[in-house]
Amino acid sequence: IMSIWSILIVIVMLGLLVTIHELGHFWTACLLKIKVYEVSIFVGPRLFHWKRKGVEYSIRAVPLGAYVRFTDIDEEGKPVESDAPELLINNPRWKRLVVAIAGPLMNAVLGVLIFGVLYCTVGFTSLDAGYAPEGSQLYSTSYTPGDTIVAVNGNHVFTYLDYYYEAETATPESRDMTVTFRSRASGEHYDVVLKPELKTRPMLGITTYMDTDNKYSGWEIVSVDENQNNGKPVLKAGDYLVAVDGKNVSDDDFDEFLDTLSDGDTMTLKYIRNGETFEDECIKTMITYANERGVSLIGYRVDSLPSFFRAFSYAFKMPATIVNVSVKSIGDVFQGDEEVYNMVSGPIGVTTVVSDVVDDVDDSVFQKFYSIVVMSGFISIGLMFTNMLPIPGLDGIQSLLIIVEMIIGRRLSKKTESVINGIGFFMLIALVLFAFASDIIRYIVE
């Protein structure tokens, strides 16, 4: 159940991100001396308004968006046509294009600043490879600890997110994986091939954070395989797995212990959920698995000017990372590797994620605040990606139409624009409904 705090946080967060987007359009228009009639924060009935330097500023009642109005409106609510040179529609195409992309660009800049400040405050994860544990795939290769990963299976990686996508989502654990490193000593690139060794053990069906939690001496669960316990998973994301058949997961020989669990139809899972300890039987499913890749990424604190610049270099790469992973994830959906309802998320989906963060009794206030700020950075850059889609009502279609005008040397006819906008309107409504339905399905499934 979503708490009122979760809903309020999402309203404020999305409201601020959309407002920054619209201010990007506004500030750019002012810089280019283009007439702006109104800047509205939120939509719906007007609560407050004032006028300054010919621009009307409004704060409205429904916190679900914002807008900048570049045309005058008559008494019937229709745009007033004019040949005035200061109007956006009468300005050179390059100015109109700059104004159109300024909003998405502002979201990208905000996302970079959010990640940059976070990295400078709490540190950042680099693409430098740490020491590989004995028995792992990387341990037996000739790599040098501290060298930087630049590609996986020939696909360039910008940040740790690209790496995890390529290594964990795009590459099955049973398949060889080629990692390209850049030598810290010489600057040259070299490849190492990680070859898995296959073994058999009971399926836990979970992904966890790499480090054992200090509070419970267990693994905090990130996600749970839907096939766990014959399709009725015992564990949930956010749980802490403490022991299996009485063996603590924090023990050094836990992996070896799992390899011995071949007898019996069930295993007992001890876990903690919302501060309470549970023990439940889980139907045992034997699976073939590979030894760990052994690639760990080194984290750094910002304590010098070079580390400051390096932190912001990773922050600047986050838009490229998010666009890269988003495009590939959409491709996974069309290939049948991912559920369709996981392709987009609307306000309900965002609120659900925020609710999970806010209501987590095991996280401190700082951890919750940190998670929400990180989420804001991802959403801000995601808004850049979404708004540049060629769908009417979004900045992408405006940019595309202006580019078409530049190519053909004239404006499109009003009939053509009306047809495009009409088709696009139904596409936009379909996208909104799809996002809403996806949120509902994901909420039910999870």
Side-chain angles (χ1 to χ4, degrees), residues 88-316:
L88 176 66
I89 193 66
N90 297 327
N91 267 263
R93 296 185 183 100
W94 71 267
K95 286 189 177 183
R96 291 161 51 204
L97 181 61
V98 170
V99 171
I101 65 177
L105 181 61
M106 184 61 69
N107 279 130
V109 170
L110 177 62
V112 167
L113 288 176
I114 289 174
F115 285 112
V117 171
L118 284 177
Y119 292 164
C120 290
T121 305
V122 300
F124 62 96
T125 301
S126 71
L127 285 172
D128 297 346
Y131 287 92
E134 188 173 352
S136 67
Q137 298 171 36
L138 185 62
Y139 183 81
S140 60
T141 69
S142 58
Y143 93 107
T144 301
D147 286 353
T148 304
I149 298 171
V150 296
V152 176
N153 294 329
N155 298 314
H156 184 77
V157 293
F158 301 97
T159 69
Y160 70 96
L161 287 178
D162 298 277
Y163 170 76
Y164 287 131
Y165 174 84
E166 296 294 344
E168 298 181 3
T169 302
T171 309
E173 66 170 11
S174 60
R175 197 184 103 188
D176 290 358
M177 186 172 83
T178 302
V179 181
T180 303
F181 287 91
R182 182 177 62 248
S183 171
R184 174 178 290 184
S186 67
E188 295 181 353
H189 291 188
Y190 64 93
D191 292 341
V192 299
V193 180
L194 307 184
K195 296 181 176 294
E197 296 177 8
L198 302 181
K199 301 179 182 179
T200 302
R201 68 161 47 158
M203 181 187 80
L204 292 180
I206 57 175
T207 56
T208 67
Y209 290 110
M210 294 182 64
D211 297 328
T212 301
D213 178 75
N214 293 326
K215 184 176 181 180
Y216 298 122
S217 295
W219 294 340
E220 183 177 359
I221 298 173
V222 179
S223 63
V224 180
D225 192 301
E226 61 183 9
N227 296 315
Q228 186 193 73
N229 195 37
N230 274 7
K232 298 179 180 178
V234 172
L235 302 172
K236 293 170 55 177
D239 292 347
Y240 291 82
L241 179 63
V242 176
V244 176
D245 275 357
K247 183 68 173 178
N248 291 334
V249 300
S250 58
D251 291 349
D252 292 337
D253 61 344
F254 180 73
D255 284 342
E256 290 80 1
F257 168 77
L258 281 184
D259 291 338
T260 66
L261 284 181
S262 57
D263 297 331
D265 297 325
T266 63
M267 54 185 172
T268 302
L269 304 181
K270 181 179 180 181
Y271 59 97
I272 296 173
R273 178 176 297 165
N274 294 327
E276 295 186 46
T277 302
F278 299 88
E279 287 194 16
D280 285 315
E281 296 293 314
C282 180
I283 296 173
K284 191 183 298 180
T285 302
M286 301 302 292
I287 60 168
T288 300
Y289 76 101
N291 60 327
E292 63 175 315
R293 302 281 191 193
V295 180
S296 60
L297 302 179
I298 301 175
Y300 295 99
R301 290 278 184 177
V302 174
D303 53 9
S304 64
L305 193 59
S307 62
F308 170 82
F309 284 119
R310 195 171 188 209
F312 263 92
S313 73
Y314 279 113
F316 274 111

Side-chain angles (χ1 to χ4, degrees), residues 309-330:
F309 284 119
R310 195 171 188 209
F312 263 92
S313 73
Y314 279 113
F316 274 111
K317 293 174 184 176
M318 284 303 294
T321 282
I322 292 175
V323 171
N324 180 39
V325 173
S326 297
V327 170
K328 289 183 177 179
S329 297
I330 292 173

Side-chain angles (χ1 to χ4, degrees), residues 2-44:
M2 302 175 194
S3 67
I4 186 66
W5 284 111
S6 303
I7 296 172
L8 288 175
I9 289 172
V10 170
I11 288 174
V12 172
M13 178 173 63
L14 294 181
L16 288 174
L17 295 179
V18 173
T19 297
I20 290 293
H21 174 99
E22 294 300 328
L23 288 177
H25 293 305
F26 172 61
W27 289 332
T28 304
C30 291
L31 184 65
L32 297 176
K33 301 187 183 307
I34 295 173
K35 174 67 176 175
V36 175
Y37 285 88
E38 181 185 4
V39 177
S40 178
I41 308 302
F42 304 149
V43 296

Side-chain angles (χ1 to χ4, degrees), residues 68-79:
V68 177
R69 182 162 57 85
F70 292 102
T71 57
D72 196 10
I73 302 295
D74 62 22
E75 294 180 356
E76 297 179 357
K78 297 179 180 180

